[in-house]
Amino acid sequence: MKTNNEFPHQGWNLDNSYARLPESFFTQLTPSPVSSPELVIFNDSLASALGFQSKELQSKEGIEIFAGNKMPETAYPLAQAYAGHQFGHFTMLGDGRALLIGEQLTPAGERVDIQLKGSGRTPFSRGGDGRAALGPMLREYVISEAMHALGIPTTRSLAVVATGEVVYRETELPGAVLTRVAASHLRVGTFQYAARWGSKKDLQALADYAWDRHFSDLPAVQNRYLSLLQQVAARQAQLIAKWQLAGFIHGVMNTDNMTISGETIDYGPCAFMDTFDPKTVFSSIDVQGRYAYGNQPRIGEWNLARFAEALLPLLDDDEQAAVDQAQDVISNFASQFRQEWLNGMRAKLGITNEEKQDISLVEDLLGMMQQEKADYTNTFRALTLGEYPADTALFAGSAFKQWEERWQSRLGRQTCPEAESKQLMKRHNPAIIPRNHLVEEALAAAVDHGDYDVLHRLLAALADPYAYSPEQTAYAVLPPPPSQPYQTYCGT
Ligand SMILES: Nc1ncnc2c1ncn2[C@@H]1O[C@H](COP(=O)(O)OP(=O)(O)OP(=O)(O)O)[C@@H](O)[C@H]1O
């Protein structure tokens, strides 16, 4: 890997490969300026990984770029067209409040999208104002960076600027623009858009672009479109398994929020689960529980089926053969996911080899956790530390003692030394997660009082969630049960 010093260019080093797709995939336009931008949070380590000098980005000119008041010379700002199934209903969407300003070519030889979110109206805005509020953009910043630190593929956050303007939601809120970094912003919904409104040539151009962008390192394949479907399914199986293992609830798994890269995108209504319960839903609009924690793998499969449908014309000239190929991939997804998840659960329990009964060991633990309303993260944290608080219902019961004996004898049947097994657990069971009350507290200090210290401390603690450092202990303490269930809202 090249170091920064050898990198020929420090600063904006943009390409615009997306703009070489057929014109129907985007609209070129510049962001709408804002009155008095102020940089409120900036991601130093991400900036240098992308080949920027932090000072340059934090200068007056750098901030003007984050605000959309100015563009880097080589930018080619555009809003992407896409469609999507939202809560099962198909609709035209597109970047209604975001602009891709280009793809930064990084010192490590990667190509990443740089996108401004909240940068003004676009032809896809429908009735919206094209803007974003400060609180939700800071929330996306914190949770996406926490996800990255947890080892979960995700879009990243480079900066948030407050615009100095207000946005009107149910009430007046301070406005902001988030600079988001992503392997790409290609979504299942981008393919649905092409399949519904484009020609076969358009669809093929998009599929070729996606292949080149994300899978070109793979050995040559016979049918690249089938392979594209298989690869996306595999990445989604891995991603959703990681969500389940971390207790992450995305909250709005519409097909426009499923990426081709396998990164988590859209942090609108997401939240981490506290008490283990597969029915957990945080989003205020998800009244049916479509996107509940326990449904995420099934919804992933449903979304992939929509992706497969969009790809059908490319899979085979024979319609039935195309459907058969697609179905093979989709029907394989559940077991792919299950395998990823079970292996992850083994790691969470310090298990390094495979036994058939592992699944019942895991499911029995989860069953007890649900019954005793145990905290998901802290249960695995306690198992990792071997410290079982006596005032926790789960650990006080005899069922847990029996389970623990089974677990210990299972560990005894592997050759892995105990210390290694403990290390494995530490690498897979975070000491802390961005808990709802911690995030809310940090956002309130920042948005209501302009105090960013709480947010910075939280970000520092979340930067290495597997450290098990003494400072993290305070963040693992649960608050008293809330009087109302925690609810999240999207679209602000
Ligand atoms: N304030 C707004 N003005 C215009 N369009 C909006 C606004 N808020 C959301 N949209 C559009 O509504 C659709 C769904 O919104 P959603 O909240 O899922 O996306 P988002 O958070 O804006 O974007 P992303 O999925 O890129 O993170 C998208 O097409 C989005 O661009």
Side-chain angles (χ1 to χ4, degrees):
M1 192 170 96
K2 285 185 198 164
T3 66
N4 270 349
N5 294 340
E6 294 156 350
F7 191 49
H9 184 100
Q10 284 248 323
W12 292 98
N13 185 28
L14 294 175
D15 187 36
N16 307 290
S17 68
Y18 195 82
R20 298 195 275 276
L21 276 174
E23 276 177 12
S24 54
F25 284 106
F26 61 91
T27 300
Q28 207 269 325
L29 82 165
T30 46
S32 312
V34 300
S35 64
S36 34
E38 187 195 339
L39 186 65
V40 292
I41 196 153
F42 175 73
N43 195 333
D44 233 326
S45 62
L46 178 58
S48 64
L50 294 177
F52 290 109
Q53 262 171 350
S54 291
K55 242 170 126 186
E56 182 188 328
L57 287 189
Q58 294 180 82
S59 67
K60 189 161 185 304
E61 183 173 329
I63 296 168
E64 294 282 354
I65 292 174
F66 287 144
N69 288 1
K70 243 187 180 173
M71 283 287 98
E73 249 168 54
T74 46
Y76 187 85
L78 57 87
Q80 292 174 304
Y82 55 86
H85 275 90
Q86 298 204 310
F87 289 89
H89 303 287
F90 186 73
T91 182
M92 178 61 200
L93 293 159
D95 288 330
R97 57 166 173 171
L99 287 180
L100 172 64
I101 65 175
E103 300 133 28
Q104 174 77 359
L105 305 177
T106 75
E110 286 169 343
R111 169 187 296 271
V112 293
D113 278 7
I114 309 280
Q115 194 202 55
L116 301 183
K117 184 168 169 181
S119 52
R121 286 181 54 78
T122 79
F124 307 112
S125 297
R126 296 167 290 168
D129 61 1
R131 293 299 186 190
L134 178 59
M137 294 305 100
L138 290 174
R139 191 166 189 278
E140 172 156 348
Y141 186 110
V142 177
I143 302 186
S144 64
E145 287 305 300
M147 291 283 276
H148 172 72
L150 283 163
I152 302 177
T154 176
T155 61
R156 304 282 309 271
S157 298
L158 181 59
V160 175
V161 290
T163 58
E165 298 174 359
V166 292
V167 296
Y168 298 91
R169 299 298 180 252
E170 268 148 29
T171 162
E172 272 189 12
L173 298 169
V177 181
L178 168 80
T179 303
R180 175 160 71 184
V181 177
S184 85
H185 284 84
L186 297 174
R187 307 158 189 254
V188 166
T190 323
F191 283 82
Q192 291 182 289
Y193 165 79
R196 175 67 72 98
W197 288 293
S199 64
K200 185 173 169 188
K201 234 173 116 198
D202 293 335
L203 180 65
Q204 189 166 2
L206 180 67
D208 287 339
Y209 178 77
W211 180 266
D212 290 343
R213 187 120 185 220
H214 296 297
F215 306 105
S216 58
D217 289 351
L218 295 174
V221 286
Q222 237 186 355
N223 181 343
R224 73 152 50 170
Y225 307 114
L226 179 62
S227 193
L228 176 66
L229 177 59
Q230 289 164 335
Q231 294 300 329
V232 173
R235 287 197 186 179
Q236 287 296 332
Q238 286 163 8
L239 177 68
I240 298 172
K242 286 187 185 224
W243 288 356
Q244 300 304 100
L245 292 163
F248 174 77
I249 302 172
H250 182 280
V252 62
M253 288 176 71
N254 295 330
T255 55
D256 53 297
N257 289 332
M258 180 182 260
T259 58
I260 301 306
S261 66
E263 289 182 340
T264 312
I265 195 170
D266 196 338
Y267 285 88
C270 70
F272 280 76
M273 177 171 61
D274 296 310
T275 305
F276 177 72
D277 182 352
K279 293 190 293 300
T280 308
V281 174
F282 291 112
S283 169
S284 58
I285 58 169
D286 190 5
V287 281
Q288 308 281 337
R290 179 182 170 91
Y291 300 138
Y293 172 77
N295 274 352
Q296 296 191 126
R298 257 193 307 271
I299 292 292
E301 181 179 324
W302 192 90
N303 289 349
L304 283 168
R306 306 290 78 75
F307 182 48
E309 276 168 11
L311 286 177
L312 281 179
L314 303 180
L315 293 181
D316 204 300
D317 289 337
D318 179 304
E319 249 177 68
Q320 190 54 48
V323 170
D324 291 346
Q325 289 175 30
Q327 257 163 6
D328 263 2
V329 179
I330 302 304
S331 59
N332 200 25
F333 176 79
S335 64
Q336 246 178 323
F337 161 78
R338 190 100 178 136
Q339 198 56 45
E340 297 284 347
W341 175 81
L342 182 56
N343 286 340
M345 274 294 174
R346 284 192 177 104
K348 283 172 89 69
L349 293 176
I351 297 172
T352 54
N353 61 347
E354 293 183 16
E355 278 187 11
K356 228 174 154 207
Q357 318 81 293
D358 291 340
I359 185 72
S360 61
L361 189 72
V362 171
E363 282 178 345
D364 291 349
L365 173 64
L366 294 175
M368 281 187 300
M369 285 165 65
Q370 187 173 357
Q371 172 124 20
E372 301 297 345
K373 301 192 177 0
D375 180 82
Y376 181 76
T377 304
N378 282 3
T379 299
F380 285 101
R381 185 175 183 276
L383 295 177
T384 304
L385 294 170
E387 293 165 8
Y388 307 126
D391 59 350
T392 305
L394 172 70
F395 301 132
S398 60
F400 175 76
K401 292 200 175 57
Q402 282 166 17
W403 180 88
E404 200 207 353
E405 276 169 28
R406 270 168 71 201
W407 175 42
Q408 289 304 329
S409 72
R410 171 67 183 87
L411 291 176
R413 291 199 297 276
Q414 64 187 16
T415 50
C416 171
E418 194 185 329
E420 254 176 58
S421 163
K422 283 269 172 224
Q423 279 310 318
L424 183 69
M425 290 183 73
K426 276 198 166 171
R427 288 199 306 275
H428 287 84
N429 295 313
I432 64 161
I433 50 162
R435 285 191 188 273
N436 304 321
H437 70 283
L438 297 173
V439 174
E440 292 301 323
E441 183 187 67
L443 295 185
V447 177
D448 301 341
H449 306 289
D451 170 7
Y452 282 78
D453 286 355
V454 190
L455 191 60
H456 281 122
R457 281 200 299 275
L458 178 61
L459 281 167
L462 290 167
D464 187 2
Y466 304 104
Y468 282 80
S469 65
E471 303 84 67
Q472 289 177 327
T473 311
Y475 290 99
V477 177
L478 300 180
S483 53
Q484 298 281 330
Y486 183 71
Q487 277 207 322
T488 57
Y489 304 88
C490 47
T492 51

